[in-house]
Amino acid sequence: YKAPLLLTTKGTQSDLRAEAAICLYDTVYKDAVTGIHSQDIELLRNIEGLLNSSLFAYLNITTFSSSGIEREQALIQEKLSIPYFNITCIDKIKQVESILKESSQSTMVDDAQLNEVETIKKEIDSIILQDVKCTEVDIDLVDYALTISIPLATKVAGYENLFAFIKKDDKMLKQYADAYLERFAEAF
């Protein structure tokens, strides 16, 4: 297949995000990978950003027919049916590509580079949610899907911690109480 291509696997990561990357050289691949060809590399990066985002994971768990059933696989028709819009973080996607390319040329794993990539990915997620004009409630729903629904559905390592007891001085308990009071205080 002729480059440039956006490649995405049939599967998803354990957090139900797609696995997508740009390929800049002609290549051959099997049916476990789908390629999207375009001469417009920015368009491919835009799609790459959307497929690798927390918004994709949220849409995956809430709308895809095979989520949590097909061993972390998503039908390509469902993957490509997510809403498309221009994102404003192409520079950050290029930054991740650059770091990962540099990292792949080394025989040693650089934890600092991997941490930097994770930080940038969180920034990309935040920008994408802003680009789609998510409200605070929308962002909370995406967060709930990522931290509760997806781990429960996929039973990733450590999902049992979701059932752990909350200590009375836990910050999360105070946040929950504050949210409840903010929402219902006027009713009492």
Side-chain angles (χ1 to χ4, degrees):
Y1 298 93
K2 296 287 183 192
L5 295 159
L6 171 68
L7 301 177
T8 184
T9 63
K10 188 183 289 186
T12 60
Q13 298 175 40
S14 61
D15 64 358
L16 297 186
R17 293 173 192 246
E19 294 182 290
I22 303 293
C23 179
L24 298 174
Y25 52 88
D26 295 348
T27 190
V28 176
Y29 50 86
K30 294 186 175 194
D31 74 337
V33 175
T34 297
I36 300 171
H37 171 77
S38 175
Q39 291 301 324
D40 185 349
I41 193 80
E42 298 302 304
L43 171 68
L44 296 176
R45 283 195 175 103
N46 197 89
I47 299 169
E48 174 190 20
L50 291 169
L51 289 174
N52 290 330
S53 72
S54 61
L55 179 62
F56 177 89
Y58 171 76
L59 293 169
N60 185 340
I61 192 70
T62 58
T63 65
F64 290 13
S65 63
S66 58
S67 295
I69 298 168
E70 290 289 329
R71 299 173 319 273
E72 298 166 359
Q73 291 189 15
L75 301 173
I76 192 63
Q77 301 91 308
E78 291 177 324
K79 275 185 170 181
L80 299 179
S81 71
I82 66 168
Y84 176 83
F85 55 93
N86 285 320
I87 58 177
T88 59
C89 53
I90 299 299
D91 57 325
K92 299 231 177 256
I93 292 169
K94 288 179 185 177
Q95 193 177 359
V96 168
E97 287 175 4
S98 175
I99 294 167
L100 291 176
K101 182 177 181 180
E102 181 183 324
S103 175
S104 72
Q105 295 171 350
S106 173
T107 55
M108 300 292 289
V109 174
D110 185 345
D111 288 338
Q113 284 181 321
L114 296 178
N115 290 337
E116 184 179 2
V117 165
E118 288 308 310
T119 299
I120 297 168
K121 284 182 177 182
K122 287 178 184 173
E123 292 172 12
I124 291 169
D125 280 341
S126 179
I127 292 167
I128 288 174
L129 293 175
Q130 288 172 11
D131 287 347
V132 78
K133 299 188 181 1
C134 284
T135 66
E136 190 176 327
V137 172
D138 296 331
I139 292 168
D140 288 343
L141 287 170
V142 171
D143 180 63
Y144 186 84
L146 294 175
T147 58
I148 306 294
S149 299
I150 292 171
L152 283 176
T154 60
K155 294 186 176 32
V156 294
Y159 83 97
E160 302 90 354
N161 296 336
L162 294 171
F163 303 107
F165 289 104
I166 299 174
K167 296 178 178 148
K168 73 175 187 173
D169 58 343
D170 193 299
K171 183 176 92 171
M172 183 173 45
L173 189 58
K174 174 153 177 33
Q175 290 172 332
Y176 178 79
D178 288 345
Y180 185 84
L181 289 172
E182 181 182 318
R183 174 69 176 98
F184 298 108
E186 293 178 20
F188 298 105

